[in-house]
Coordinates of all heavy atoms in Angstrom, one line a residue:
M1 N 114.5 99.6 125.2 CA 115.3 98.8 124.3 C 114.5 98.1 123.3 O 113.4 97.5 123.6 CB 116.1 97.8 125.1 CG 117.4 98.3 125.8 SD 118.6 98.8 124.5 CE 119.3 97.2 124.1
S2 N 114.9 98.1 122.1 CA 114.2 97.4 121.0 C 114.8 96.0 120.9 O 115.9 95.7 121.1 CB 114.5 98.2 119.7 OG 114.5 97.3 118.7
K3 N 113.8 95.0 120.6 CA 114.2 93.6 120.5 C 114.5 93.3 119.0 O 114.9 92.3 118.6 CB 113.2 92.7 121.0 CG 113.2 92.6 122.5 CD 112.4 91.4 123.0 CE 111.0 91.7 122.9 NZ 110.1 90.7 123.5
V4 N 114.2 94.4 118.2 CA 114.4 94.2 116.7 C 116.0 94.0 116.4 O 116.7 94.8 116.9 CB 113.8 95.3 115.9 CG1 114.0 95.1 114.4 CG2 112.3 95.4 116.2
H5 N 116.3 93.0 115.7 CA 117.7 92.7 115.6 C 118.4 93.3 114.4 O 119.5 93.1 114.1 CB 117.9 91.1 115.5 CG 117.2 90.5 114.3 ND1 115.9 90.6 114.1 CD2 117.7 90.0 113.2 CE1 115.6 90.0 113.0 NE2 116.7 89.6 112.4
V6 N 117.6 94.0 113.6 CA 118.1 94.7 112.4 C 117.8 96.2 112.6 O 117.1 96.6 113.4 CB 117.4 94.2 111.1 CG1 117.9 92.7 110.8 CG2 115.9 94.2 111.3
K7 N 118.5 96.9 111.7 CA 118.3 98.4 111.8 C 118.1 99.0 110.4 O 118.5 98.3 109.4 CB 119.3 99.1 112.6 CG 120.7 98.9 112.2 CD 121.7 99.4 113.3 CE 123.1 99.4 112.8 NZ 124.0 99.7 113.8
S8 N 117.7 100.2 110.4 CA 117.5 100.9 109.1 C 118.8 100.9 108.3 O 119.9 101.2 108.8 CB 117.1 102.3 109.5 OG 116.9 103.1 108.3
G9 N 118.6 100.5 107.0 CA 119.8 100.5 106.1 C 120.4 99.1 105.9 O 121.1 98.9 105.0
D10 N 120.0 98.2 106.8 CA 120.5 96.8 106.7 C 119.9 96.1 105.5 O 118.8 96.4 105.1 CB 120.1 96.0 107.9 CG 120.9 96.2 109.1 OD1 122.0 96.8 109.0 OD2 120.5 95.8 110.2
R11 N 120.7 95.3 104.9 CA 120.1 94.4 103.8 C 119.7 93.1 104.4 O 120.4 92.5 105.2 CB 121.2 94.1 102.8 CG 121.7 95.3 102.0 CD 121.9 95.1 100.5 NE 122.7 94.0 100.3 CZ 122.2 93.0 99.4 NH1 121.1 93.0 98.8 NH2 123.1 91.9 99.2
V12 N 118.5 92.7 104.1 CA 117.9 91.5 104.7 C 117.3 90.6 103.7 O 117.1 90.9 102.6 CB 116.8 91.9 105.7 CG1 117.3 92.7 106.9 CG2 115.7 92.7 105.1
F13 N 117.1 89.4 104.2 CA 116.6 88.3 103.4 C 115.2 87.9 104.0 O 115.2 87.7 105.3 CB 117.5 87.1 103.4 CG 117.1 85.9 102.7 CD1 117.2 85.8 101.3 CD2 116.5 84.8 103.4 CE1 116.7 84.6 100.7 CE2 116.1 83.7 102.7 CZ 116.2 83.6 101.4
V14 N 114.2 87.8 103.3 CA 112.9 87.5 103.9 C 112.7 86.0 104.0 O 112.8 85.3 103.0 CB 111.7 88.1 103.0 CG1 110.4 87.8 103.6 CG2 111.9 89.6 102.8
L15 N 112.4 85.5 105.2 CA 112.3 84.1 105.5 C 111.0 83.5 105.3 O 110.8 82.4 105.0 CB 112.8 83.9 107.0 CG 114.2 84.3 107.3 CD1 114.4 84.3 108.8 CD2 115.2 83.4 106.7
A16 N 109.9 84.3 105.6 CA 108.6 83.8 105.6 C 107.6 84.8 105.0 O 107.9 86.0 104.9 CB 108.2 83.4 107.0
G17 N 106.4 84.3 104.7 CA 105.4 85.2 104.1 C 105.3 85.2 102.7 O 106.0 84.4 102.0
D18 N 104.5 86.1 102.1 CA 104.3 86.1 100.6 C 105.6 86.4 99.9 O 105.7 86.0 98.7 CB 103.2 87.1 100.3 CG 101.9 86.7 100.8 OD1 101.7 85.5 101.1 OD2 101.0 87.6 100.8
D19 N 106.5 87.1 100.5 CA 107.7 87.6 99.8 C 108.9 86.8 100.3 O 110.0 87.3 100.1 CB 107.9 89.1 100.1 CG 106.9 89.9 99.3 OD1 106.7 89.7 98.1 OD2 106.2 90.8 99.9
A20 N 108.7 85.6 100.8 CA 109.8 84.8 101.2 C 110.8 84.6 100.1 O 110.4 84.4 99.0 CB 109.3 83.4 101.7
G21 N 112.1 84.8 100.4 CA 113.1 84.6 99.4 C 113.6 85.9 98.8 O 114.6 85.9 98.1
K22 N 112.8 87.0 99.0 CA 113.3 88.3 98.5 C 114.3 88.9 99.4 O 114.4 88.6 100.5 CB 112.0 89.2 98.4 CG 111.2 89.1 97.2 CD 110.3 90.3 97.1 CE 109.2 90.1 96.0 NZ 108.3 91.2 96.0
R23 N 115.1 89.8 98.8 CA 116.0 90.6 99.5 C 115.7 92.0 99.4 O 115.2 92.4 98.3 CB 117.4 90.3 99.0 CG 118.0 89.0 99.3 CD 119.3 88.8 98.6 NE 119.8 87.5 98.8 CZ 121.1 87.2 99.1 NH1 122.0 88.2 99.3 NH2 121.5 86.0 99.3
G24 N 116.0 92.8 100.4 CA 115.8 94.2 100.3 C 116.5 94.9 101.4 O 117.1 94.3 102.3
K25 N 116.3 96.2 101.3 CA 117.0 97.1 102.3 C 115.9 97.5 103.3 O 114.8 97.9 102.9 CB 117.6 98.3 101.6 CG 118.6 99.0 102.5 CD 119.4 100.0 101.7 CE 118.6 101.3 101.7 NZ 119.4 102.4 101.1
I26 N 116.3 97.6 104.6 CA 115.4 98.0 105.6 C 115.2 99.6 105.5 O 116.2 100.3 105.5 CB 115.9 97.8 107.1 CG1 116.2 96.3 107.3 CG2 115.0 98.4 108.1 CD1 115.1 95.6 108.0
L27 N 113.9 100.0 105.3 CA 113.7 101.4 105.2 C 113.4 102.0 106.5 O 113.7 103.2 106.8 CB 112.5 101.6 104.2 CG 112.7 101.2 102.8 CD1 111.4 101.4 102.0 CD2 113.8 101.9 102.1
E28 N 112.7 101.2 107.3 CA 112.3 101.7 108.6 C 112.1 100.5 109.6 O 111.7 99.5 109.2 CB 110.9 102.4 108.4 CG 110.6 103.4 109.5 CD 109.3 104.1 109.3 OE1 108.9 104.2 108.1 OE2 108.7 104.6 110.3
V29 N 112.4 100.8 110.8 CA 112.2 99.8 111.9 C 111.1 100.4 112.9 O 111.2 101.6 113.2 CB 113.5 99.6 112.7 CG1 113.2 98.7 113.9 CG2 114.6 99.0 111.8
L30 N 110.2 99.6 113.2 CA 109.1 100.0 114.1 C 109.2 99.2 115.4 O 108.6 98.1 115.5 CB 107.7 99.7 113.4 CG 107.6 100.2 112.0 CD1 106.3 99.6 111.3 CD2 107.5 101.7 111.9
P31 N 110.0 99.7 116.3 CA 110.4 98.9 117.5 C 109.2 98.6 118.3 O 109.2 97.5 118.9 CB 111.4 99.8 118.2 CG 111.7 101.0 117.4 CD 110.7 101.0 116.3
R32 N 108.2 99.4 118.4 CA 107.1 99.2 119.3 C 106.3 98.0 118.9 O 105.7 97.3 119.7 CB 106.2 100.4 119.4 CG 106.8 101.4 120.4 CD 105.7 102.4 120.9 NE 105.2 103.1 119.8 CZ 104.1 104.0 119.9 NH1 103.6 104.1 121.1 NH2 103.7 104.6 118.9
S33 N 106.2 97.8 117.5 CA 105.4 96.6 117.1 C 106.3 95.5 116.7 O 105.8 94.4 116.3 CB 104.5 97.1 115.9 OG 105.3 97.7 114.9
G34 N 107.6 95.7 116.7 CA 108.5 94.6 116.3 C 108.5 94.3 114.9 O 108.8 93.2 114.4
K35 N 108.2 95.4 114.1 CA 108.1 95.2 112.6 C 109.1 96.0 111.9 O 109.7 97.0 112.5 CB 106.7 95.5 112.2 CG 105.6 94.5 112.6 CD 104.3 94.8 112.1 CE 103.2 94.0 112.7 NZ 103.3 92.6 112.2
V36 N 109.4 95.6 110.7 CA 110.3 96.4 109.8 C 109.6 96.6 108.5 O 108.7 95.9 108.1 CB 111.6 95.7 109.6 CG1 112.4 95.6 110.9 CG2 111.4 94.3 109.0
I37 N 110.0 97.7 107.8 CA 109.6 98.0 106.5 C 110.7 97.8 105.6 O 111.8 98.4 105.7 CB 109.0 99.4 106.3 CG1 107.7 99.5 107.2 CG2 108.7 99.7 104.9 CD1 107.1 100.9 107.3
V38 N 110.6 96.8 104.6 CA 111.7 96.5 103.7 C 111.3 96.9 102.3 O 110.3 96.7 101.8 CB 111.9 94.9 103.7 CG1 113.2 94.6 102.8 CG2 112.1 94.4 105.1
D39 N 112.3 97.6 101.6 CA 112.1 98.1 100.3 C 111.6 96.9 99.4 O 112.3 95.9 99.3 CB 113.5 98.7 99.8 CG 113.3 99.5 98.5 OD1 112.1 99.9 98.3 OD2 114.3 99.7 97.8
G40 N 110.5 97.1 98.7 CA 110.0 96.2 97.7 C 109.3 94.9 98.3 O 109.0 94.0 97.6
V41 N 109.1 94.9 99.6 CA 108.5 93.7 100.2 C 107.2 94.1 100.9 O 107.0 95.1 101.4 CB 109.5 93.1 101.3 CG1 108.8 92.1 102.1 CG2 110.8 92.6 100.6
N42 N 106.2 93.2 100.7 CA 104.9 93.4 101.2 C 104.3 94.6 100.7 O 103.7 95.5 101.4 CB 104.9 93.4 102.8 CG 103.5 93.3 103.3 OD1 102.6 92.8 102.7 ND2 103.3 93.7 104.5
I43 N 104.3 94.8 99.3 CA 103.8 96.0 98.7 C 102.3 96.1 98.9 O 101.5 95.2 98.7 CB 104.2 95.9 97.2 CG1 105.7 96.0 96.9 CG2 103.5 97.1 96.4 CD1 106.3 97.3 97.4
Q44 N 101.9 97.3 99.4 CA 100.5 97.6 99.6 C 100.1 98.6 98.5 O 100.8 99.6 98.2 CB 100.3 98.3 100.9 CG 101.0 97.6 102.1 CD 100.2 96.5 102.5 OE1 99.1 96.6 102.9 NE2 100.9 95.3 102.6
K45 N 99.0 98.2 97.8 CA 98.5 99.2 96.8 C 97.4 100.0 97.4 O 96.5 99.5 98.0 CB 98.0 98.4 95.6 CG 99.1 97.8 94.8 CD 98.5 97.1 93.6 CE 99.7 96.5 92.8 NZ 99.3 95.6 91.7
K46 N 97.6 101.3 97.2 CA 96.6 102.2 97.8 C 96.1 103.1 96.7 O 96.8 103.8 96.0 CB 97.3 103.0 98.9 CG 96.4 103.6 99.9 CD 97.2 104.3 101.0 CE 96.4 105.4 101.6 NZ 97.2 106.3 102.4
H47 N 94.8 103.2 96.7 CA 94.2 104.1 95.7 C 94.2 105.5 96.3 O 93.8 105.7 97.4 CB 92.8 103.6 95.3 CG 92.8 102.3 94.6 ND1 92.7 102.2 93.2 CD2 92.8 101.1 95.0 CE1 92.8 100.9 92.9 NE2 92.8 100.2 94.0
T48 N 94.6 106.4 95.4 CA 94.5 107.8 95.9 C 93.5 108.6 95.1 O 93.3 108.4 94.0 CB 95.9 108.4 95.8 OG1 96.4 108.4 94.5 CG2 96.9 107.7 96.7
R49 N 93.0 109.6 95.8 CA 92.0 110.5 95.1 C 92.8 111.5 94.3 O 94.0 111.8 94.6 CB 91.3 111.3 96.2 CG 90.3 110.5 97.0 CD 89.9 111.3 98.2 NE 89.2 110.5 99.2 CZ 87.9 110.3 99.1 NH1 87.1 110.9 98.2 NH2 87.3 109.5 100.0
P50 N 92.2 112.0 93.2 CA 92.9 113.0 92.5 C 93.2 114.2 93.3 O 92.3 114.6 94.2 CB 91.8 113.4 91.4 CG 90.9 112.2 91.3 CD 90.9 111.6 92.7
T51 N 94.3 114.8 93.2 CA 94.7 116.0 93.9 C 95.2 117.0 92.9 O 95.3 116.7 91.7 CB 95.8 115.7 94.9 OG1 97.0 115.3 94.2 CG2 95.4 114.7 95.9
Q52 N 95.5 118.2 93.3 CA 96.1 119.2 92.4 C 97.4 118.8 91.8 O 97.6 119.0 90.6 CB 96.2 120.5 93.1 CG 94.9 121.3 93.2 CD 95.1 122.7 93.7 OE1 96.1 123.0 94.3 NE2 94.1 123.5 93.5
T53 N 98.2 118.1 92.6 CA 99.5 117.7 92.1 C 99.4 116.4 91.3 O 100.2 116.2 90.4 CB 100.5 117.5 93.2 OG1 99.9 116.7 94.2 CG2 100.9 118.8 93.8
N54 N 98.3 115.6 91.5 CA 98.2 114.4 90.8 C 96.7 114.3 90.4 O 95.9 113.6 91.0 CB 98.6 113.2 91.7 CG 98.5 111.9 91.0 OD1 98.3 111.8 89.8 ND2 98.6 110.8 91.7
P55 N 96.3 115.0 89.3 CA 94.9 115.1 88.9 C 94.3 113.8 88.5 O 93.0 113.7 88.6 CB 94.9 116.1 87.7 CG 96.4 116.5 87.5 CD 97.2 115.7 88.4
Q56 N 95.1 112.9 88.1 CA 94.5 111.6 87.7 C 94.1 110.7 88.9 O 93.3 109.8 88.7 CB 95.5 110.8 86.9 CG 96.0 111.5 85.6 CD 94.9 111.6 84.5 OE1 94.4 110.5 84.2 NE2 94.6 112.7 84.1
G57 N 94.7 111.0 90.0 CA 94.6 110.1 91.1 C 95.4 108.9 90.8 O 96.2 108.9 89.8
G58 N 95.2 107.8 91.4 CA 95.9 106.6 91.0 C 96.2 105.7 92.1 O 95.6 105.7 93.1
I59 N 97.1 104.8 91.8 CA 97.5 103.8 92.8 C 98.9 104.0 93.2 O 99.8 104.1 92.4 CB 97.4 102.4 92.2 CG1 96.0 102.1 91.7 CG2 97.8 101.3 93.1 CD1 95.8 100.8 90.9
V60 N 99.1 104.1 94.5 CA 100.4 104.3 95.1 C 100.8 102.9 95.7 O 100.1 102.3 96.4 CB 100.4 105.4 96.2 CG1 101.7 105.4 96.9 CG2 100.0 106.7 95.7
E61 N 102.0 102.5 95.3 CA 102.5 101.3 95.9 C 103.6 101.6 96.8 O 104.5 102.2 96.5 CB 103.1 100.4 94.7 CG 102.0 100.0 93.7 CD 102.5 98.9 92.7 OE1 103.7 98.5 92.9 OE2 101.7 98.6 91.9
K62 N 103.4 101.0 98.1 CA 104.5 101.2 99.0 C 104.6 100.0 99.9 O 103.6 99.3 100.1 CB 104.3 102.5 99.8 CG 103.1 102.6 100.6 CD 103.0 103.8 101.4 CE 102.4 103.6 102.8 NZ 102.7 104.6 103.8
P63 N 105.9 99.7 100.4 CA 106.1 98.5 101.2 C 105.4 98.7 102.5 O 105.4 99.7 103.1 CB 107.6 98.5 101.3 CG 108.1 99.8 101.0 CD 107.1 100.5 100.1
G64 N 104.8 97.6 103.0 CA 104.1 97.6 104.3 C 105.0 96.8 105.3 O 105.9 96.1 105.0
P65 N 104.7 97.0 106.6 CA 105.5 96.4 107.7 C 105.4 94.9 107.7 O 104.3 94.3 107.4 CB 104.9 97.0 108.9 CG 103.6 97.6 108.6 CD 103.6 97.8 107.1
I66 N 106.5 94.2 108.0 CA 106.4 92.8 108.2 C 107.1 92.5 109.5 O 107.9 93.3 110.0 CB 107.1 92.0 107.1 CG1 108.6 92.3 106.9 CG2 106.4 92.1 105.8 CD1 109.3 91.4 106.0
D67 N 106.9 91.4 110.1 CA 107.4 91.0 111.4 C 109.0 90.9 111.3 O 109.5 90.2 110.4 CB 106.9 89.7 111.8 CG 106.8 89.6 113.3 OD1 107.9 89.5 114.0 OD2 105.7 89.7 113.9
A68 N 109.7 91.5 112.2 CA 111.1 91.5 112.2 C 111.7 90.1 112.3 O 112.8 89.8 111.8 CB 111.7 92.4 113.3
S69 N 110.9 89.2 112.9 CA 111.4 87.8 113.1 C 111.4 87.1 111.7 O 111.9 86.0 111.6 CB 110.6 87.1 114.1 OG 109.3 87.0 113.7
N70 N 110.7 87.7 110.7 CA 110.7 87.0 109.4 C 111.8 87.4 108.5 O 111.8 87.1 107.3 CB 109.3 87.3 108.7 CG 108.2 86.5 109.4 OD1 108.4 85.6 110.1 ND2 107.0 87.0 109.1
V71 N 112.7 88.2 109.0 CA 113.8 88.6 108.1 C 115.2 88.2 108.8 O 115.3 88.1 110.0 CB 113.9 90.1 107.8 CG1 112.6 90.5 107.1 CG2 114.1 91.0 109.1
A72 N 116.1 87.9 107.9 CA 117.5 87.6 108.4 C 118.4 88.6 107.8 O 118.3 89.0 106.6 CB 117.9 86.2 108.0
L73 N 119.4 89.1 108.6 CA 120.3 90.0 108.1 C 121.2 89.4 107.0 O 121.6 88.2 107.1 CB 121.2 90.5 109.3 CG 122.2 91.6 109.0 CD1 121.4 92.9 108.7 CD2 123.0 91.8 110.2
V74 N 121.5 90.1 105.9 CA 122.4 89.6 104.9 C 123.7 90.2 105.2 O 123.9 91.5 105.3 CB 121.9 90.0 103.5 CG1 123.0 89.6 102.5 CG2 120.6 89.3 103.2
C75 N 124.7 89.4 105.3 CA 126.1 89.9 105.6 C 126.7 90.6 104.4 O 126.7 90.0 103.3 CB 126.9 88.7 106.0 SG 128.7 89.1 106.1
P76 N 127.2 91.8 104.5 CA 127.7 92.5 103.4 C 129.0 91.9 102.9 O 129.4 92.1 101.8 CB 127.9 93.9 103.9 CG 127.8 93.9 105.3 CD 127.1 92.6 105.7
S77 N 129.7 91.1 103.7 CA 130.9 90.5 103.3 C 130.7 89.2 102.6 O 131.3 89.0 101.5 CB 131.8 90.2 104.5 OG 132.1 91.4 105.2
C78 N 129.9 88.3 103.1 CA 129.8 87.0 102.5 C 128.5 86.9 101.6 O 128.2 85.9 101.0 CB 129.9 85.8 103.4 SG 128.7 85.7 104.7
N79 N 127.6 88.0 101.8 CA 126.4 88.1 100.9 C 125.4 87.0 101.2 O 124.7 86.6 100.3 CB 126.8 88.2 99.5 CG 125.7 88.9 98.7 OD1 125.0 89.8 99.2 ND2 125.6 88.5 97.4
K80 N 125.4 86.5 102.4 CA 124.4 85.4 102.7 C 123.6 85.8 103.9 O 124.1 86.5 104.8 CB 125.2 84.1 103.0 CG 125.9 83.5 101.8 CD 126.3 82.1 102.1 CE 126.9 81.4 100.9 NZ 128.3 81.1 101.0
P81 N 122.4 85.3 104.0 CA 121.6 85.5 105.2 C 122.4 84.9 106.4 O 122.8 83.8 106.3 CB 120.3 84.8 105.0 CG 120.2 84.6 103.5 CD 121.7 84.5 103.0
T82 N 122.4 85.6 107.5 CA 123.3 85.0 108.6 C 122.7 85.4 109.9 O 121.8 86.3 110.0 CB 124.7 85.6 108.5 OG1 125.5 85.0 109.5 CG2 124.7 87.1 108.7
R83 N 123.2 84.8 110.9 CA 122.9 85.2 112.3 C 124.1 86.0 112.7 O 125.2 85.9 112.2 CB 122.8 84.0 113.2 CG 121.6 83.2 112.9 CD 121.4 82.0 113.8 NE 121.0 82.5 115.1 CZ 119.7 82.7 115.5 NH1 118.8 82.6 114.6 NH2 119.4 83.1 116.6
V84 N 123.9 86.9 113.7 CA 125.0 87.7 114.1 C 125.3 87.6 115.6 O 124.4 87.2 116.3 CB 124.8 89.2 113.8 CG1 124.6 89.5 112.3 CG2 123.5 89.7 114.6
S85 N 126.5 87.8 116.0 CA 126.8 87.9 117.4 C 127.2 89.3 117.7 O 127.8 90.0 116.8 CB 127.9 86.9 117.8 OG 128.9 86.8 116.8
N86 N 126.9 89.8 118.9 CA 127.3 91.1 119.3 C 128.7 91.0 119.9 O 128.9 90.3 120.9 CB 126.3 91.7 120.2 CG 125.1 92.2 119.5 OD1 125.2 93.0 118.5 ND2 123.9 91.7 119.9
V87 N 129.6 91.8 119.4 CA 131.0 91.7 120.0 C 131.4 93.1 120.5 O 131.1 94.1 119.8 CB 132.0 91.3 118.8 CG1 133.4 91.3 119.4 CG2 131.6 89.9 118.3
R88 N 131.9 93.2 121.6 CA 132.4 94.5 122.1 C 133.8 94.7 121.7 O 134.7 93.9 122.0 CB 132.2 94.5 123.7 CG 132.2 95.9 124.2 CD 131.9 95.9 125.7 NE 130.5 95.6 126.0 CZ 129.5 96.5 125.9 NH1 129.7 97.8 125.5 NH2 128.2 96.2 126.2
S89 N 134.0 95.8 121.0 CA 135.3 96.1 120.5 C 136.2 96.7 121.6 O 135.7 97.0 122.8 CB 135.2 97.1 119.4 OG 134.8 98.4 119.9
E90 N 137.4 96.9 121.4 CA 138.4 97.5 122.4 C 137.9 98.8 122.9 O 138.1 99.2 124.0 CB 139.8 97.6 121.9 CG 140.4 96.2 121.8 CD 141.8 96.3 121.1 OE1 142.4 97.3 121.2 OE2 142.2 95.3 120.4
S91 N 137.3 99.6 122.0 CA 136.8 100.9 122.4 C 135.5 100.8 123.2 O 135.0 101.8 123.7 CB 136.6 101.8 121.2 OG 135.6 101.2 120.3
G92 N 135.0 99.6 123.4 CA 133.8 99.4 124.2 C 132.5 99.5 123.4 O 131.4 99.4 124.0
K93 N 132.6 99.7 122.1 CA 131.4 99.8 121.3 C 130.9 98.4 120.8 O 131.8 97.6 120.5 CB 131.8 100.6 120.0 CG 130.7 101.0 119.1 CD 131.1 102.1 118.1 CE 130.1 102.2 117.0 NZ 130.3 101.3 115.9
L94 N 129.6 98.2 120.9 CA 129.1 96.9 120.5 C 129.0 96.9 118.9 O 128.4 97.8 118.3 CB 127.7 96.7 121.0 CG 127.6 96.0 122.4 CD1 126.1 95.8 122.7 CD2 128.3 94.6 122.3
T95 N 129.6 95.9 118.3 CA 129.4 95.8 116.9 C 128.8 94.4 116.6 O 129.0 93.5 117.4 CB 130.7 96.0 116.1 OG1 131.7 95.0 116.6 CG2 131.3 97.3 116.3
R96 N 128.2 94.3 115.5 CA 127.6 93.0 115.0 C 128.6 92.2 114.2 O 129.2 92.8 113.3 CB 126.3 93.2 114.3 CG 125.3 93.9 115.2 CD 124.0 94.2 114.5 NE 124.3 95.2 113.4 CZ 123.4 95.5 112.5 NH1 122.2 95.0 112.5 NH2 123.7 96.3 111.5
Q97 N 128.7 91.0 114.4 CA 129.6 90.2 113.7 C 128.9 89.0 113.0 O 128.1 88.3 113.6 CB 130.7 89.6 114.6 CG 132.0 89.2 114.0 CD 133.0 88.7 115.0 OE1 132.8 87.8 115.8 NE2 134.1 89.5 115.1
C98 N 129.2 88.7 111.7 CA 128.6 87.6 111.0 C 129.1 86.3 111.6 O 130.3 86.1 111.8 CB 129.1 87.8 109.6 SG 128.6 86.3 108.6
K99 N 128.1 85.4 111.8 CA 128.5 84.1 112.4 C 129.0 83.2 111.3 O 129.6 82.1 111.6 CB 127.3 83.5 113.1 CG 127.1 84.1 114.5 CD 126.1 83.2 115.3 CE 126.0 83.8 116.7 NZ 125.1 83.1 117.5
R100 N 128.9 83.5 110.1 CA 129.4 82.7 109.0 C 130.9 83.0 108.7 O 131.7 82.1 108.6 CB 128.6 82.9 107.7 CG 127.3 82.2 107.6 CD 126.7 82.6 106.3 NE 125.2 82.2 106.2 CZ 124.8 81.0 105.7 NH1 125.7 80.2 105.2 NH2 123.5 80.8 105.7
C101 N 131.1 84.3 108.5 CA 132.5 84.6 108.0 C 133.3 85.4 109.1 O 134.5 85.6 108.9 CB 132.4 85.4 106.7 SG 131.7 87.1 106.9
G102 N 132.6 85.8 110.2 CA 133.4 86.4 111.3 C 133.7 87.9 111.0 O 134.3 88.5 111.9
K103 N 133.2 88.4 109.9 CA 133.5 89.8 109.6 C 132.5 90.7 110.3 O 131.4 90.4 110.6 CB 133.4 90.1 108.1 CG 134.4 89.4 107.3 CD 135.5 90.4 106.8 CE 136.6 89.6 106.1 NZ 136.2 89.0 104.9
S104 N 133.0 91.9 110.6 CA 132.1 92.9 111.3 C 131.1 93.4 110.3 O 131.4 93.6 109.1 CB 133.0 94.0 111.8 OG 132.2 95.0 112.3
I105 N 129.9 93.6 110.8 CA 128.8 94.1 109.8 C 128.6 95.6 109.9 O 128.3 96.2 109.0 CB 127.5 93.3 110.2 CG1 127.7 91.9 109.6 CG2 126.3 94.0 109.5 CD1 126.6 90.9 110.1
D106 N 128.9 96.2 111.1 CA 128.7 97.6 111.2 C 129.9 98.4 110.7 O 131.0 97.9 110.7 CB 128.4 98.0 112.7 CG 127.1 97.4 113.1 OD1 126.1 97.7 112.5 OD2 127.1 96.6 114.0
Ligands
ZN1 ZN1 129.6 87.0 106.5

């Protein structure tokens, strides 16, 4: 079981670190390290060697992992960073519910 409270595709708000205040979409969850990769956050610049497809070489920018505890889920309904509660629906499926507006997030 993963303790990460967000999942791939979620929109999140960054609470701490160099990119605090930014919003982005979760590209990847790394459950083993408890980290997430958020689009546009914690950008790592990597120099690449020239290759056949990219003869110039250059700098590749890609988002690096940040601690999942540093992000808050953004509710798609009220568009604010929020905490969620897990609610079991009548069909027995667990869904996440926004604690601000009470709308289902999944
Ligand atoms: Zn909400």
